[in-house]
Amino acid sequence: MAGRKQRDIAARVAELLDVRLGDKILEIGFGPGIAIQVISQRLSGEGLIVGIDPLDVMMEMAQARNVEAIEQGTVRLLRGTVERIPYDDEVFDKALAMNSFHLWPDQWAGLLEIRRVLKKGGVLVLSFYGPARRAVEMGAVRDALKQARFEMLDNPLEAHSVSYLVARK
């Protein structure tokens, strides 16, 4: 799973987020930490990436992959779920979830929680590929984002069997 395709998807998500130096970015369900690594390289030590994932094995993999950035303080990995993000309101400039939305125990609560911690104008990118793409109905996800008071941007985007939804608070 941590192969070339996942790196390419992470790079595309970073482009859709328009990652810039100094950004504070949240990743939900960071898995093996590939997107965190890709985004961290783009931030060049100027910014912060916080990842939240409930699984110990993913925590271990992501920590090993991002050890230098963690030591520098530009990456923080937390064990937890999207329904309870341990940050104040309007902290993050951007947020992403690669292939994890369908696994969230309470998708509605998760969307509301992401909206809470995003700054006004903050961007959220959700990506879906493989089994995750088959597990969701893109129209229903788009509707849920709209009901959570996100503004949809250019959606859905499709490329190389990957679907992307981009929304702004």
Side-chain angles (χ1 to χ4, degrees):
M1 219 174 146
R4 180 77 183 152
K5 181 170 181 153
Q6 201 172 21
R7 283 190 191 289
D8 291 345
I9 294 167
R12 179 65 177 136
V13 167
E15 289 171 15
L16 292 169
L17 286 171
D18 189 24
V19 172
R20 297 173 184 256
L21 296 180
D23 278 346
K24 289 183 180 175
I25 301 172
L26 173 67
E27 182 176 10
I28 304 299
F30 54 74
I34 290 174
I36 287 175
Q37 184 179 44
V38 167
I39 292 170
S40 179
Q41 291 168 350
R42 289 181 183 237
L43 289 176
S44 302
E46 293 186 38
L48 175 67
I49 306 166
V50 174
I52 297 178
D53 197 293
L55 301 177
D56 291 338
V57 67
M58 294 304 164
M59 180 69 73
E60 292 169 13
M61 292 173 72
Q63 285 173 332
R65 177 170 275 114
N66 293 286
V67 67
E68 289 178 30
I70 292 167
E71 289 172 357
Q72 293 170 355
T74 57
V75 168
R76 290 186 198 140
L77 302 178
L78 307 172
R79 193 169 289 104
T81 62
V82 67
E83 298 88 1
R84 290 183 195 92
I85 299 170
Y87 280 85
D88 291 334
D89 297 355
E90 300 188 355
V91 170
F92 295 97
D93 301 293
K94 296 157 185 175
L96 67 138
M98 285 179 42
N99 237 32
S100 69
F101 179 83
H102 68 293
L103 300 172
W104 297 359
D106 187 337
Q107 294 168 343
W108 176 248
L111 290 175
L112 293 178
E113 188 68 348
I114 290 171
R115 190 174 195 292
R116 180 187 69 77
V117 299
L118 272 178
K119 293 177 182 176
K120 184 177 180 178
V123 175
L124 168 63
V125 175
L126 302 176
S127 67
F128 303 89
Y129 51 96
R133 190 170 185 222
R134 294 183 293 277
V136 299
E137 203 290 306
M138 296 306 287
V141 178
R142 197 170 40 251
D143 289 347
L145 284 161
K146 287 178 186 175
Q147 289 174 2
R149 296 183 303 137
F150 282 95
E151 171 192 356
M152 300 308 298
L153 306 173
D154 301 326
N155 291 295
L157 302 171
E158 305 271 336
H160 309 290
S161 301
V162 182
S163 298
Y164 303 90
L165 290 172
V166 184
R168 177 176 25 231
K169 176 178 177 181

PDB file of all heavy atoms in Angstrom, residues 62-79:
ATOM      1  N   ALA A  62       4.207   5.242  10.521  1.00  0.00           N
ATOM      2  CA  ALA A  62       4.316   6.669  10.219  1.00  0.00           C
ATOM      3  C   ALA A  62       5.442   7.325  11.017  1.00  0.00           C
ATOM      4  O   ALA A  62       6.153   8.199  10.509  1.00  0.00           O
ATOM      5  CB  ALA A  62       2.985   7.367  10.483  1.00  0.00           C
ATOM      6  N   GLN A  63       5.612   6.908  12.263  1.00  0.00           N
ATOM      7  CA  GLN A  63       6.710   7.455  13.066  1.00  0.00           C
ATOM      8  C   GLN A  63       8.055   7.102  12.451  1.00  0.00           C
ATOM      9  O   GLN A  63       8.938   7.959  12.353  1.00  0.00           O
ATOM     10  CB  GLN A  63       6.640   6.924  14.504  1.00  0.00           C
ATOM     11  CG  GLN A  63       5.554   7.562  15.325  1.00  0.00           C
ATOM     12  CD  GLN A  63       5.383   6.919  16.699  1.00  0.00           C
ATOM     13  OE1 GLN A  63       5.661   5.741  16.899  1.00  0.00           O
ATOM     14  NE2 GLN A  63       4.911   7.707  17.648  1.00  0.00           N
ATOM     15  N   ALA A  64       8.226   5.862  12.039  1.00  0.00           N
ATOM     16  CA  ALA A  64       9.484   5.430  11.431  1.00  0.00           C
ATOM     17  C   ALA A  64       9.758   6.191  10.134  1.00  0.00           C
ATOM     18  O   ALA A  64      10.895   6.604   9.874  1.00  0.00           O
ATOM     19  CB  ALA A  64       9.452   3.929  11.167  1.00  0.00           C
ATOM     20  N   ARG A  65       8.713   6.417   9.335  1.00  0.00           N
ATOM     21  CA  ARG A  65       8.875   7.101   8.048  1.00  0.00           C
ATOM     22  C   ARG A  65       9.168   8.595   8.234  1.00  0.00           C
ATOM     23  O   ARG A  65       9.811   9.209   7.390  1.00  0.00           O
ATOM     24  CB  ARG A  65       7.606   6.901   7.220  1.00  0.00           C
ATOM     25  CG  ARG A  65       7.633   7.634   5.891  1.00  0.00           C
ATOM     26  CD  ARG A  65       6.497   7.229   4.984  1.00  0.00           C
ATOM     27  NE  ARG A  65       6.907   6.026   4.264  1.00  0.00           N
ATOM     28  CZ  ARG A  65       6.345   4.836   4.404  1.00  0.00           C
ATOM     29  NH1 ARG A  65       5.327   4.671   5.197  1.00  0.00           N
ATOM     30  NH2 ARG A  65       6.793   3.800   3.717  1.00  0.00           N
ATOM     31  N   ASN A  66       8.716   9.191   9.323  1.00  0.00           N
ATOM     32  CA  ASN A  66       8.804  10.649   9.503  1.00  0.00           C
ATOM     33  C   ASN A  66       9.607  11.048  10.733  1.00  0.00           C
ATOM     34  O   ASN A  66       9.411  12.135  11.276  1.00  0.00           O
ATOM     35  CB  ASN A  66       7.382  11.224   9.591  1.00  0.00           C
ATOM     36  CG  ASN A  66       6.634  11.083   8.290  1.00  0.00           C
ATOM     37  OD1 ASN A  66       6.893  11.793   7.338  1.00  0.00           O
ATOM     38  ND2 ASN A  66       5.714  10.128   8.237  1.00  0.00           N
ATOM     39  N   VAL A  67      10.544  10.216  11.149  1.00  0.00           N
ATOM     40  CA  VAL A  67      11.267  10.429  12.400  1.00  0.00           C
ATOM     41  C   VAL A  67      11.969  11.793  12.451  1.00  0.00           C
ATOM     42  O   VAL A  67      11.916  12.486  13.471  1.00  0.00           O
ATOM     43  CB  VAL A  67      12.244   9.258  12.695  1.00  0.00           C
ATOM     44  CG1 VAL A  67      13.386   9.202  11.690  1.00  0.00           C
ATOM     45  CG2 VAL A  67      12.760   9.339  14.108  1.00  0.00           C
ATOM     46  N   GLU A  68      12.603  12.206  11.375  1.00  0.00           N
ATOM     47  CA  GLU A  68      13.325  13.492  11.385  1.00  0.00           C
ATOM     48  C   GLU A  68      12.367  14.671  11.559  1.00  0.00           C
ATOM     49  O   GLU A  68      12.638  15.581  12.345  1.00  0.00           O
ATOM     50  CB  GLU A  68      14.146  13.658  10.114  1.00  0.00           C
ATOM     51  CG  GLU A  68      15.348  12.733  10.046  1.00  0.00           C
ATOM     52  CD  GLU A  68      16.119  12.881   8.761  1.00  0.00           C
ATOM     53  OE1 GLU A  68      16.121  13.992   8.183  1.00  0.00           O
ATOM     54  OE2 GLU A  68      16.737  11.887   8.334  1.00  0.00           O
ATOM     55  N   ALA A  69      11.278  14.662  10.830  1.00  0.00           N
ATOM     56  CA  ALA A  69      10.309  15.764  10.928  1.00  0.00           C
ATOM     57  C   ALA A  69       9.657  15.791  12.310  1.00  0.00           C
ATOM     58  O   ALA A  69       9.367  16.870  12.838  1.00  0.00           O
ATOM     59  CB  ALA A  69       9.255  15.645   9.835  1.00  0.00           C
ATOM     60  N   ILE A  70       9.445  14.619  12.900  1.00  0.00           N
ATOM     61  CA  ILE A  70       8.893  14.564  14.254  1.00  0.00           C
ATOM     62  C   ILE A  70       9.884  15.176  15.230  1.00  0.00           C
ATOM     63  O   ILE A  70       9.519  15.991  16.085  1.00  0.00           O
ATOM     64  CB  ILE A  70       8.531  13.112  14.639  1.00  0.00           C
ATOM     65  CG1 ILE A  70       7.354  12.619  13.800  1.00  0.00           C
ATOM     66  CG2 ILE A  70       8.219  13.006  16.126  1.00  0.00           C
ATOM     67  CD1 ILE A  70       7.106  11.124  13.878  1.00  0.00           C
ATOM     68  N   GLU A  71      11.153  14.814  15.098  1.00  0.00           N
ATOM     69  CA  GLU A  71      12.192  15.363  15.978  1.00  0.00           C
ATOM     70  C   GLU A  71      12.331  16.873  15.809  1.00  0.00           C
ATOM     71  O   GLU A  71      12.603  17.587  16.773  1.00  0.00           O
ATOM     72  CB  GLU A  71      13.529  14.667  15.709  1.00  0.00           C
ATOM     73  CG  GLU A  71      13.554  13.239  16.207  1.00  0.00           C
ATOM     74  CD  GLU A  71      14.798  12.473  15.788  1.00  0.00           C
ATOM     75  OE1 GLU A  71      15.649  13.022  15.046  1.00  0.00           O
ATOM     76  OE2 GLU A  71      14.930  11.302  16.208  1.00  0.00           O
ATOM     77  N   GLN A  72      12.119  17.377  14.587  1.00  0.00           N
ATOM     78  CA  GLN A  72      12.202  18.818  14.329  1.00  0.00           C
ATOM     79  C   GLN A  72      10.957  19.560  14.811  1.00  0.00           C
ATOM     80  O   GLN A  72      10.946  20.784  14.861  1.00  0.00           O
ATOM     81  CB  GLN A  72      12.383  19.083  12.826  1.00  0.00           C
ATOM     82  CG  GLN A  72      13.700  18.611  12.282  1.00  0.00           C
ATOM     83  CD  GLN A  72      13.745  18.666  10.760  1.00  0.00           C
ATOM     84  OE1 GLN A  72      12.759  18.976  10.099  1.00  0.00           O
ATOM     85  NE2 GLN A  72      14.902  18.356  10.196  1.00  0.00           N
ATOM     86  N   GLY A  73       9.899  18.829  15.129  1.00  0.00           N
ATOM     87  CA  GLY A  73       8.673  19.452  15.615  1.00  0.00           C
ATOM     88  C   GLY A  73       7.725  19.913  14.528  1.00  0.00           C
ATOM     89  O   GLY A  73       6.747  20.600  14.808  1.00  0.00           O
ATOM     90  N   THR A  74       7.974  19.513  13.281  1.00  0.00           N
ATOM     91  CA  THR A  74       7.082  19.924  12.192  1.00  0.00           C
ATOM     92  C   THR A  74       6.016  18.879  11.887  1.00  0.00           C
ATOM     93  O   THR A  74       5.112  19.135  11.100  1.00  0.00           O
ATOM     94  CB  THR A  74       7.878  20.237  10.910  1.00  0.00           C
ATOM     95  OG1 THR A  74       8.634  19.084  10.541  1.00  0.00           O
ATOM     96  CG2 THR A  74       8.800  21.424  11.129  1.00  0.00           C
ATOM     97  N   VAL A  75       6.134  17.704  12.506  1.00  0.00           N
ATOM     98  CA  VAL A  75       5.120  16.651  12.377  1.00  0.00           C
ATOM     99  C   VAL A  75       4.754  16.170  13.773  1.00  0.00           C
ATOM    100  O   VAL A  75       5.630  15.924  14.602  1.00  0.00           O
ATOM    101  CB  VAL A  75       5.639  15.464  11.529  1.00  0.00           C
ATOM    102  CG1 VAL A  75       4.699  14.268  11.641  1.00  0.00           C
ATOM    103  CG2 VAL A  75       5.787  15.867  10.069  1.00  0.00           C
ATOM    104  N   ARG A  76       3.446  16.061  14.012  1.00  0.00           N
ATOM    105  CA  ARG A  76       2.929  15.479  15.257  1.00  0.00           C
ATOM    106  C   ARG A  76       1.945  14.390  14.883  1.00  0.00           C
ATOM    107  O   ARG A  76       1.019  14.628  14.099  1.00  0.00           O
ATOM    108  CB  ARG A  76       2.190  16.525  16.088  1.00  0.00           C
ATOM    109  CG  ARG A  76       3.076  17.563  16.692  1.00  0.00           C
ATOM    110  CD  ARG A  76       2.300  18.477  17.630  1.00  0.00           C
ATOM    111  NE  ARG A  76       3.086  19.688  17.834  1.00  0.00           N
ATOM    112  CZ  ARG A  76       2.589  20.905  17.888  1.00  0.00           C
ATOM    113  NH1 ARG A  76       1.284  21.098  17.788  1.00  0.00           N
ATOM    114  NH2 ARG A  76       3.370  21.945  18.068  1.00  0.00           N
ATOM    115  N   LEU A  77       2.138  13.215  15.453  1.00  0.00           N
ATOM    116  CA  LEU A  77       1.240  12.093  15.207  1.00  0.00           C
ATOM    117  C   LEU A  77       0.496  11.769  16.489  1.00  0.00           C
ATOM    118  O   LEU A  77       1.107  11.605  17.540  1.00  0.00           O
ATOM    119  CB  LEU A  77       2.031  10.876  14.733  1.00  0.00           C
ATOM    120  CG  LEU A  77       2.862  11.067  13.468  1.00  0.00           C
ATOM    121  CD1 LEU A  77       3.637   9.805  13.140  1.00  0.00           C
ATOM    122  CD2 LEU A  77       1.993  11.493  12.300  1.00  0.00           C
ATOM    123  N   LEU A  78      -0.827  11.690  16.374  1.00  0.00           N
ATOM    124  CA  LEU A  78      -1.677  11.440  17.535  1.00  0.00           C
ATOM    125  C   LEU A  78      -2.526  10.206  17.303  1.00  0.00           C
ATOM    126  O   LEU A  78      -3.008   9.978  16.190  1.00  0.00           O
ATOM    127  CB  LEU A  78      -2.608  12.627  17.772  1.00  0.00           C
ATOM    128  CG  LEU A  78      -1.967  14.009  17.872  1.00  0.00           C
ATOM    129  CD1 LEU A  78      -3.034  15.082  17.920  1.00  0.00           C
ATOM    130  CD2 LEU A  78      -1.070  14.082  19.087  1.00  0.00           C
ATOM    131  N   ARG A  79      -2.735   9.443  18.343  1.00  0.00           N
ATOM    132  CA  ARG A  79      -3.648   8.319  18.279  1.00  0.00           C
ATOM    133  C   ARG A  79      -5.031   8.870  18.607  1.00  0.00           C
ATOM    134  O   ARG A  79      -5.223   9.515  19.634  1.00  0.00           O
ATOM    135  CB  ARG A  79      -3.238   7.237  19.277  1.00  0.00           C
ATOM    136  CG  ARG A  79      -3.933   5.922  19.058  1.00  0.00           C
ATOM    137  CD  ARG A  79      -3.321   4.801  19.872  1.00  0.00           C
ATOM    138  NE  ARG A  79      -1.999   4.426  19.355  1.00  0.00           N
ATOM    139  CZ  ARG A  79      -0.826   4.764  19.923  1.00  0.00           C
ATOM    140  NH1 ARG A  79      -0.807   5.487  21.014  1.00  0.00           N
ATOM    141  NH2 ARG A  79       0.311   4.391  19.396  1.00  0.00           N
TER     142      ARG A  79
END
